[in-house]
Amino acid sequence: MGGDDPTETLMHEPAALKGWDWMIDRVIDERFASGSTLESFGGAEGMFISGKLAFYLASRWTTTRIPPDFRAGTVPMYKHPNGDDTSRNACNALSLHSKSPNKDEAWEVLKYWTSTVAKDMVAVGYTAPWLKSHMASPVWEASIVPWDNVEVHNANLLQDRRPFYHPPGYEEINALTKKAYDEAVLGKPTAEAFADAKPKIDQVLVDNLP
C-alpha cells in the first residue's frame, strides 16, 4: 500500500522497481538462492545446514533442524538504507481486525496464544518471546542452544513493536506479488510484471476494506 490510500499498491512505481530489480539481479547472478534451488534443498534451512547458504533471514521455527553443535550464529536484524528498523511482521502478525464478527472471543484466543501457547512454543525451541514478561523467563533461557543468542532475540523483540501492517487479504496479495516476482526472475520485464499485478492487488485491498 502507499501513501494515505489503503486501496492502492505502489509496487509498480519507479522507486519500488529499483528494489525489485536489485533483488532479482542477485537471484540471477546466484548471490541469492532462487525458489527452485531452495526447494531442492528442503528450504533455506536445508541449504544452510548443507553449507550452500552463508546467511538467511530466519525465525526460530525455521532453525529447528540446525544441530546444537553446528558452527552458526544469530545476528541482529538489519536496518533499512534510510536508518529505519521497522519489522516486516512482528510476532507473525497476530492481530484482530474490525471485520471480525466475534471480537470478544477472538480477543480471548489472542490472549491465550500470546501467553500459554507462546510459553509452550518457547520451551520446545520453536519461537522467541512474544511479550516483554517472557524475556527473562527461565524457560526461554533454557531453550537456547549453544549457537543461539538470547540478547539478539530480545533486541529483535523490542524492534518488532514497529511492524508493517498486514491488511486483510494479505495471503492473496502475497500470492499475486510472488507470481509477479517469479515472472520477473524468469525474464519478464519487471515493470510489466508488477504493473500487471497492481490492479488485481488493488481490487483485493478494496474488497477487504473494513
Side-chain angles (χ1 to χ4, degrees):
M1 297 186 294
D4 297 322
D5 186 355
T7 65
E8 182 183 14
T9 176
L10 304 181
M11 64 172 59
H12 67 301
E13 295 202 346
L17 293 174
K18 285 177 64 177
W20 291 120
D21 283 330
W22 185 87
M23 290 190 292
I24 290 165
D25 287 346
R26 279 150 184 79
V27 170
I28 292 170
D29 67 17
E30 299 184 340
R31 281 186 280 174
F32 289 179
S34 66
S36 59
T37 302
L38 288 172
E39 289 174 10
S40 68
F41 280 90
E45 186 179 25
M47 284 196 74
F48 186 75
I49 294 170
S50 70
K52 302 293 184 183
L53 191 64
F55 175 89
Y56 75 109
L57 186 62
S59 301
R60 292 192 85 209
W61 67 270
T62 63
T63 61
T64 55
R65 291 165 46 206
I66 298 176
D69 59 350
F70 195 74
R71 189 166 178 264
T74 304
V75 297
M77 285 289 291
Y78 56 83
K79 287 183 179 288
H80 296 281
N82 65 357
D84 187 13
D85 62 356
T86 304
S87 170
R88 174 177 173 270
N89 60 336
C91 305
N92 216 22
L94 290 174
S95 61
L96 303 180
H97 288 290
S98 60
K99 295 182 75 170
S100 172
N102 306 106
K103 293 182 178 62
D104 292 339
E105 293 84 351
W107 178 243
E108 291 303 315
V109 170
L110 185 62
K111 288 193 290 185
Y112 176 69
W113 267 88
T114 56
S115 56
T116 303
V117 174
K119 287 182 179 178
D120 290 344
M121 293 173 72
V122 164
V124 297
Y126 198 75
T127 189
W130 297 355
L131 302 174
K132 280 186 177 181
S133 58
H134 295 171
M135 290 169 65
S137 164
V139 172
W140 164 224
E141 294 185 359
S143 74
I144 291 291
V145 294
W147 56 261
D148 211 346
N149 189 304
V150 167
E151 287 75 19
V152 168
H153 285 288
N154 286 351
N156 288 346
L157 173 66
L158 297 176
Q159 175 182 331
D160 280 352
R161 292 178 301 167
R162 300 182 295 277
F164 291 121
Y165 172 59
H166 282 197
Y170 167 77
E171 291 298 335
E172 281 183 86
I173 294 169
N174 192 50
L176 290 165
T177 304
K178 186 176 184 301
K179 181 175 182 291
Y181 175 83
D182 289 345
E183 289 174 345
V185 169
L186 293 174
K188 187 173 182 177
T190 312
E192 183 180 336
F194 286 97
D196 288 348
K198 172 186 163 52
K200 299 171 186 176
I201 292 172
D202 288 350
Q203 189 60 55
V204 174
L205 291 169
V206 170
D207 291 344
N208 285 280
L209 279 175

